[in-house]
Amino acid sequence: MLAVLLVGVSLVAAGTGQLAIAPDEVLGSILHRVGITIWPLPSHPNGDSALWTIRFPRVAMAILVGAALAAAGMIMQAIFGNPLAEPGVVGVSSGAALGASACIVFGLNFLGDWTIAAAAFLAGLVATLLVYFVSRANGRTEVVTLVLTGIAVNAFAGAGLALFMFLADTQSREAIVFWQLGSLNGSRWQDVLVVLPVVVVGLVVAFALSRRFDLLSLGEKAARHLGVNVELLRIASIVLVALLTGAAVAFCGIIAFVGLVIPHLMRMIIGPKHLPLLIASTLGGSVLLVSADLVARTAVPMADLPIGMLTSLIGGPFFFWLLRRTRKKAGGWG
Amino acid sequence: MTGARYAAGAASPGAASAETTDAASAGVASVTAPALRVRGASVEIGGASILEDVSFDAAPGEVVALIGPNGAGKSTLLAVVTGDQATTGGEVEIAGRPLGAWSLKELGRRRAVLLQQNGVFFPFSVREVVEMGRAPWQGTPRDADDDRVVDESLALTETTRFQSRPLPSLSGGERARASLARILAQETGILLLDEPTAALDLRHQEDVLRIARNRARAGDCVVVVLHDLSLAAAYADRIVLIHDGRVVADGAPDAVLTGELLSRVYDLPVEVMRHPVTGTAIILPIRQPSAARVAEPGESSKETP
């Protein structure tokens, strides 16, 4: 059902914009490329090229990034044993953004197209490791500790970004601002080609680990008694989170709360089992981001709203509500 | 159920042959080879000695109760056996093989552990939690039995009724029984239970220990940490009394549960009476009539880990 929704939203999203193209024409355009000609081509003379050079890479990017962020959020919640863990909240995203912007400011380009993604991954990995080892005690993370650690990491990364902005020239400065706000504007096929393999590999590994995540929710000891190598699972998951978040942040900046809202909603609908939850979360994350991006670029005519702003607008109150609910269950946090 | 368990248990690599060689070399006065063997185990945490030179065995078919005052080291000893607590000396063998030589997955098929904390981080249903007990058998021919074993475990612990409820929404006692169901579903020949009766009412205490004893009668090895001495007297085949990190006594309930020994170990005058019909030991602190109302029975207090 989510998959159908995703296809539908993607077709509508690809067709909407300054140059409106009907969904069946969008589908026609895609199918023509693979040799099926039952549906009509876009009627507008520039329609086909607009779709393939601007819209499709952007929608593809939204699908990938949405899936990556939602999956990263779910994995973090599994290994932290805390439903409030999320790359944006705990500072993994801003850590990754710090790495990415360092590349821009210092003009680093040692890996070609992959440089920014690699830097985002490395910085994200450091941030994840830091949060993980600082915020955990006795096998799980208390909400207060997690949120406070997130504040600290976000503050540090924010300071770094501010420093880079100070050091940077005007052009780089704009790029950094773009990172902080998050946007899918200007996604190109070559970016999609960098993100695609990372996200696919990340998701495949996550699927393979999902049953172990179930066992981990019994607690570390109980999981070990059931044959799970907890240390290995933990390290694999941390790398996975950094990989998925890094890929997303490298080209789209900080898009917060996708990894919080989506897994949580899906868990309420289909339950906590991690395999179905992961499938639903990746699809749901894609749907959310494609729709959010659609709103971002069409809500205000001739302007592109930052998508990170939109997701935070929804995610912020949601996080607040979750926090209240969790607190009620935990009987206050002193 | 039991026949199938043993057929497959013996088929697990190395276990069968290891057991037979162990039976030959073991100088222990048990009929069968020990499923569990601890030799000279010592544990030091932060310079403090928690366990000192502890040795004990547990054989298939018997219920061994570990008893002792708070902080005596019972739970630590159990953690040594499960591999959660590293030792500073000594050896632990499971089915004749050193603990370190087992892979985690193999161990998961060989011994199940019931911890004192039995929460789950996300609202998994009781049935889903019990199904997690089948995880070690995933990918083996025996995972075809999953549904049947889960059903049986739920029925045995009387948790079938709330199998679809989320585990975190249950009461402490219900949660403990659901966790026991998970351990039973794991179908291991060795059960290690850390205070399984702590959160339970009178009837469910009896039920849980009866389940444990039935598993032992069917050939399992059951090691259980208990606080309630009368329960230990009624259900254990052998009792290991631990005090200050050492084994003080190890033997049949009647030999270990004497007023003199218990009074010394628990630092409280204790008397052992006999049930007029069954003859089982009943252990009570000696209470002065005037102090009876304020006296706290030592054996029912909960140990803090």
Side-chain angles (χ1 to χ4, degrees), chain A residues 74 77-83 139-140 211-222 224-231 267 270-274, chain B residues 79 82-84 104-105 107-109 111-115 117-125 128-129 131-136 138 146 167 182 186:
Chain A
M74 194 213 76
Q77 288 157 26
I79 60 164
F80 280 86
N82 188 318
R140 76 171 300 183
R211 183 145 180 180
R212 295 192 182 92
F213 290 140
D214 286 347
L215 301 180
L216 193 61
S217 54
L218 292 170
E220 281 182 19
K221 279 186 188 171
R224 199 176 294 122
H225 297 157
L226 285 165
V228 178
N229 187 335
V230 176
E231 282 73 23
R267 200 177 284 125
I270 64 166
K273 269 194 155 176
H274 284 91
Chain B
T82 62
D84 293 332
L104 284 168
K105 194 129 216 174
L107 268 183
R109 294 172 192 162
R111 62 99 181 88
V113 186
L114 183 66
L115 296 168
Q117 278 91 26
N118 287 306
V120 58
F121 294 149
F122 298 104
F124 284 95
S125 74
E128 283 166 343
V129 167
E131 281 169 354
M132 289 180 195
R134 299 298 298 163
Q138 199 194 5
D146 284 3
L167 189 87
R182 171 168 66 78
Q186 211 173 327

Side-chain angles (χ1 to χ4, degrees), chain B residues 105-181:
Chain B
K105 194 129 216 174
E106 287 173 326
L107 268 183
R109 294 172 192 162
R110 199 66 191 179
R111 62 99 181 88
V113 186
L114 183 66
L115 296 168
Q116 288 183 46
Q117 278 91 26
N118 287 306
V120 58
F121 294 149
F122 298 104
F124 284 95
S125 74
V126 169
R127 191 180 179 87
E128 283 166 343
V129 167
V130 177
E131 281 169 354
M132 289 180 195
R134 299 298 298 163
W137 298 105
Q138 199 194 5
T140 69
R142 284 174 66 186
D143 69 7
D145 291 345
D146 284 3
D147 283 337
R148 183 184 55 80
V149 175
V150 168
D151 285 336
E152 283 175 3
S153 306
L154 287 167
L156 209 55
T157 52
E158 294 177 44
T159 44
T160 313
R161 184 159 60 81
F162 37 77
Q163 58 170 314
S164 53
R165 278 175 56 194
L167 189 87
S169 73
L170 303 181
S171 76
E174 291 168 337
R175 208 156 53 218
R177 277 150 58 205
S179 302
L180 179 68

